[in-house]
Amino acid sequence: MSVEGAAGRAAAAGGGGVAKARLLYDPRFRSWAFQIALVVAVVLFFFWIAGNAARNLQQANIASGFGFLDVRAGFVIAETPIHYTDNSTYGRAFLVGLLNTIIVAFLGIVFATVLGFVIGIARLSKNWLVARLATAYVEVMRNIPLLLQLLFWYKAVLAVLPSPRQGLELPLGVFLNNRGLFIPRPVMETGGGMLLGAIGIAALATYLLARWAKARRMRTGHSFPMLRVGLAIMLGLPFVVYVLAGAPITFDVPELQGFNFTGGKQVSPEFTALLLGLSIYTSAFIAEIVRAGILSVSRGQWEAAGALGVRYGRILRLIIIPQAMRVIIPPLTSQYLNLTKNSSLAVAIGYPDLVAVFAGTVLNQTGQAVEVILMTMAVYLTLSLLTSAFMNWFNARYALVER
Amino acid sequence: MKTKLFVAVMGAAFGVTAAASAATLDDVKSNGRLSCGVSTGLAGFSAPNDAGEWSGLDVDYCRAIAAAVFDDPEAVSYVPLTAKERFTALQSGEVDVLSRNTTWTMSRDTQLGLNFAGVNYYDGQGFMVPKELGVSSALELSGASVCVQTGTTTELNLTDYFRANSMDYNPVAFERLEDVNTAYSSGRCDVYTTDASGLYSIRLTLPSPDDHMVLPEIISKEPLGPAVRQGDDQWFSVVKWVHYALLNAEELGVTSENVEEMTSSENPDIRRLLGAEGNFGESIGLEADWAVRVIKHVGNYGELFDRNVGPDTPLGIARGLNALWTEGGIQYAPPVR
């Protein structure tokens, strides 16, 4: 009764000073008023900061505003996932940096998760050697600062590999040297679209089949050899189409020309070192999260499944991990966010991520520190919020559904 | 590094900078020290020496300014800055003067709120390659991997040069000079490019300097000099005239050894420079003997050059463009009058 009752009484009391006093003590009115006042204060505060910054910059004769994004950049970036030349704009350079950050963060998250799950499960192994090795891995990798690990991998990668002229030639037109790994790049000829279509159809068919197989298993308990059939579809269909269409894909093989290799696709040492460092460092933390998650599932679950005659691998995959996921996902989200933000250490080993390209080179060429730093902060905030939104959705799917 | 930028950005937002840019000379005097922005380590220009003290041509400019203000060249706090941090540090008032082999360009002069007080070293961008590469001209570098420091004019000149000669290159860019050096010496790139003076300095730090050579091409104009904030003409004049005093002293034959005797010289130019006639020091907010203090403690421009980068130092750079105008160079100072 409390809220409605109080408001009702306040309204019933009617006009004059009494009503005002009553309004002041009305909990609903008070909570709204305070929140509106807070929002107004926060907005005013940021207005004040923005105005102040603009005025100070103008006083100090420093250019301001976001017009610089349309100006020609005039510098070259080493790794460009989208078309970019020195004639492109600063805005384009921003996009290149952003994409490089997203690429390394996404791949890092995938590798760190796979590696982390394997190590975490290995740490619980009954095999003494495997468990101890996993423990040693976790303790070493999570206790050495990431920056040192990155420098180690970068120096290690560079020190081991020979120069391009003495480089290693691997089978299938792959070359390895201290400029990176050069692999043949597939080039679409006419009919290449058919192949892509075949891959798409195979993927869709596999997905539908997997859904059907799961539904049937839930209904009847009969299992279906999904792995074998799925692989056959995924590899078989594109292969048949490839042969029928008359081999519509050729390869652009890297070639040593002058100082360096031209053609093919290059995976740079900087990218490799960054990806290795980020994945390995984060996987140690993920391993601990996975271990904690698995241990949080009560022993009774293992024993009950064992009593039913289910094999170890299946107990883990079908009974333990799904329950453990509820404990694992929230801290896992934090690790993904950490990895994304840690990718900004790329600047130390020369990988052109957002911080190196935009908050580094562009900031310096334009001198517009305030705008550039604000944009960079906004990007990391957005990336982090998107990641956690996705993980929250994922978590909701895995949450305990009581029937 | 990040913190410095963050502080500067916050400073801009909350209005600390407006106060800091007022009378720099008064602030320096009341602090009792000059805060001088230098590089993170470039032998001959600004780098810690064997004794752990900062030394070099740019460092001597810090010392000269401190000597003019305090009669004590040691009254300097050195703030090592990367290429990326340097302008923000000066804009936000973290340093009073930026003496960090910084190229004077129009955009820096007009858009960053800076004033360049003069040119203490006329430089140009060059290329260094390992001798075993078998290259004798920069025009043979098409397709090369080039090591370069980010956030420098170097990066832009490099792009322009390769473009103008229709050549390609792969940039390998780092923020810190040390990282560029390591990448080059470990063979990550074929070519190292920066200002020619820097190349000579860096070559010395390589494991075997004789295996590397600087190519003959100079692809840009790089006038390096000290910079101050806009909006403080008095401080601008102090830094500018300390530079001119160093040049005038060399032209008039005043050295750190003979400066005390020279105060009783009959030559009116020398008498004006050293404060024996007129009171030029007062007009820039300093004592009458400001130039005596500078020359007594750090020497004239020629002494600075010879001590830090000249032919008798490990860098072994000839005076070239940096000789006085009377000796075939382009270093020229307005008279004290």
Side-chain angles (χ1 to χ4, degrees), chain A residues 60-125:
Chain A
N61 235 338
I62 301 169
S64 61
F66 288 92
F68 72 94
L69 289 174
D70 292 327
V71 176
R72 173 179 180 264
F75 62 92
V76 176
I77 302 175
E79 293 174 48
T80 51
I82 51 172
H83 180 74
Y84 172 90
T85 67
D86 55 294
N87 271 334
S88 306
T89 60
Y90 285 126
R92 192 84 177 167
F94 167 78
L95 273 186
V96 170
L98 175 61
L99 283 175
N100 279 336
T101 291
I102 291 176
I103 289 171
V104 82
F106 178 77
L107 289 178
I109 284 174
V110 172
F111 287 151
T113 309
V114 172
L115 205 56
F117 267 80
V118 171
I119 303 282
I121 292 169
R123 235 194 128 170
L124 294 169
S125 166

Side-chain angles (χ1 to χ4, degrees), chain B:
Chain B
M1 292 188 296
K2 296 284 153 50
T3 352
K4 266 185 215 163
L5 266 179
F6 184 73
V7 169
V9 169
M10 286 299 129
F14 289 99
V16 187
T17 48
S21 68
T24 312
L25 182 59
D26 295 340
D27 291 346
V28 170
K29 279 180 179 165
S30 72
N31 288 340
R33 291 187 89 74
L34 171 76
S35 175
C36 197
V38 293
S39 77
T40 52
L42 181 66
F45 289 85
S46 47
N49 62 14
D50 307 340
E53 292 156 352
W54 283 93
S55 74
L57 186 65
D58 285 335
V59 166
D60 276 343
Y61 266 72
C62 304
R63 300 178 70 233
I65 297 164
V69 178
F70 300 115
D71 197 13
D72 175 11
E74 307 307 324
V76 184
S77 306
Y78 295 101
V79 182
L81 299 167
T82 66
K84 177 170 147 181
E85 293 159 0
R86 54 185 163 177
F87 301 121
T88 319
L90 182 62
Q91 288 161 352
S92 65
E94 193 182 340
V95 297
D96 302 313
V97 58
L98 183 69
S99 181
R100 191 206 170 282
N101 49 291
T102 297
T103 306
W104 183 350
T105 66
M106 181 165 174
S107 62
R108 287 174 178 176
D109 206 351
T110 55
Q111 292 169 20
L112 299 187
L114 310 182
N115 272 334
F116 284 85
V119 177
N120 68 353
Y121 190 96
Y122 286 98
D123 210 340
Q125 186 176 340
F127 296 101
M128 176 165 65
V129 294
K131 281 181 181 160
E132 62 167 18
L133 207 61
V135 165
S136 60
S137 157
L139 293 169
E140 299 165 27
L141 291 176
S142 189
S145 291
V146 182
C147 275
V148 60
Q149 194 182 9
T150 60
T152 54
T153 47
T154 319
E155 222 177 347
L156 302 178
N157 296 331
L158 174 68
T159 311
D160 290 349
Y161 181 75
F162 273 74
R163 197 179 163 74
N165 292 293
S166 355
M167 303 190 294
D168 296 327
Y169 73 101
N170 301 310
V172 185
F174 298 89
E175 187 183 326
R176 296 185 335 137
L177 199 64
E178 295 85 338
D179 294 329
V180 193
N181 297 351
T182 325
Y184 176 73
S185 60
S186 64
R188 172 63 183 92
C189 41
D190 309 299
V191 188
Y192 193 134
T193 184
T194 185
D195 297 345
S197 62
L199 290 178
Y200 287 107
S201 159
I202 290 152
R203 197 174 77 110
L204 290 177
T205 64
L206 295 173
S208 49
D210 291 337
D211 293 347
H212 301 270
M213 59 184 273
V214 176
L215 296 176
E217 283 87 353
I218 295 293
I219 65 167
S220 68
K221 292 193 287 187
E222 307 286 336
L224 311 180
V228 297
R229 279 182 295 279
Q230 282 181 10
D232 186 351
D233 290 348
Q234 184 191 35
W235 181 244
F236 182 37
S237 295
V238 169
V239 176
K240 196 161 53 179
W241 280 97
V242 166
H243 169 59
Y244 292 149
L246 291 168
L247 290 175
N248 278 324
E250 188 186 7
E251 192 178 329
L252 297 169
V254 183
T255 67
S256 53
E257 263 122 54
N258 68 14
V259 61
E260 300 287 0
E261 304 147 34
M262 281 291 192
T263 48
S264 50
S265 159
E266 291 303 314
N267 183 335
D269 284 330
I270 296 178
R271 291 179 64 81
R272 277 193 299 272
L273 173 67
L274 301 183
E277 248 179 66
N279 196 350
F280 295 95
E282 196 184 30
S283 57
I284 53 171
L286 300 175
E287 304 294 318
D289 65 341
W290 64 284
V292 178
R293 295 171 169 190
V294 170
I295 298 156
K296 184 173 67 185
H297 290 296
V298 299
N300 63 33
Y301 181 78
E303 288 176 83
L304 254 67
F305 192 97
D306 291 342
R307 182 166 67 225
N308 293 305
V309 296
D312 296 333
T313 65
L315 269 81
I317 300 175
R319 279 295 284 269
L321 282 181
N322 291 295
L324 291 180
W325 63 289
T326 48
E327 287 159 33
I330 56 175
Q331 286 288 9
Y332 182 104
V336 178
R337 180 175 285 279

Side-chain angles (χ1 to χ4, degrees), chain A residues 155-365:
Chain A
K155 305 272 142 94
V157 167
L158 280 190
V160 170
L161 295 172
S163 73
R165 287 179 190 179
Q166 279 96 45
L168 305 172
E169 188 172 352
L170 307 173
L172 295 172
V174 175
F175 296 88
L176 185 64
N177 55 51
N178 63 10
R179 301 295 148 76
L181 180 71
F182 295 82
I183 48 178
R185 188 167 53 92
V187 181
M188 291 284 190
E189 306 285 327
T190 43
M194 278 165 66
L195 188 66
L196 284 188
I199 293 174
I201 290 169
L204 187 67
T206 315
Y207 172 72
L208 291 177
L209 190 67
R211 271 188 60 170
W212 168 82
K214 193 178 173 192
R216 191 182 71 141
R217 199 183 63 216
M218 288 297 169
R219 206 172 58 240
T220 65
H222 292 299
S223 66
F224 183 81
M226 195 51 227
L227 188 67
R228 266 171 288 166
V229 177
L231 268 181
I233 297 177
M234 281 301 288
L235 295 179
L237 186 62
F239 180 73
V240 171
V241 172
Y242 180 75
V243 173
L244 286 181
I249 289 200
T250 54
F251 286 91
D252 176 18
V253 179
E255 235 181 316
L256 185 60
Q257 248 180 23
F259 300 103
N260 279 315
F261 282 87
T262 53
K265 181 104 191 86
Q266 181 194 6
V267 184
S268 73
E270 290 80 23
F271 176 77
T272 314
L274 182 64
L275 187 58
L276 264 178
L278 285 176
S279 311
I280 289 176
Y281 178 75
T282 313
S283 72
F285 290 92
I286 293 181
E288 283 299 272
I289 292 169
V290 169
R291 186 172 72 106
I294 291 175
L295 287 179
S296 75
V297 179
S298 81
R299 271 186 67 77
Q301 298 282 321
W302 286 94
E303 289 166 350
L308 290 172
V310 185
R311 277 187 282 114
Y312 177 82
R314 283 210 160 164
I315 300 180
L316 199 61
R317 194 158 54 85
L318 296 175
I319 296 167
I320 304 301
I321 300 258
Q323 298 186 71
M325 284 311 269
R326 297 203 307 269
V327 180
I328 290 175
I329 290 173
L332 196 60
T333 310
S334 303
Q335 290 306 322
Y336 288 175
L337 299 182
N338 276 344
L339 189 146
T340 310
K341 288 177 285 178
N342 285 341
S343 71
S344 65
L345 288 171
V347 70
I349 55 170
Y351 176 72
D353 79 325
L354 183 70
V355 171
V357 170
F358 193 64
T361 306
V362 173
L363 189 157
N364 233 285
Q365 310 297 15

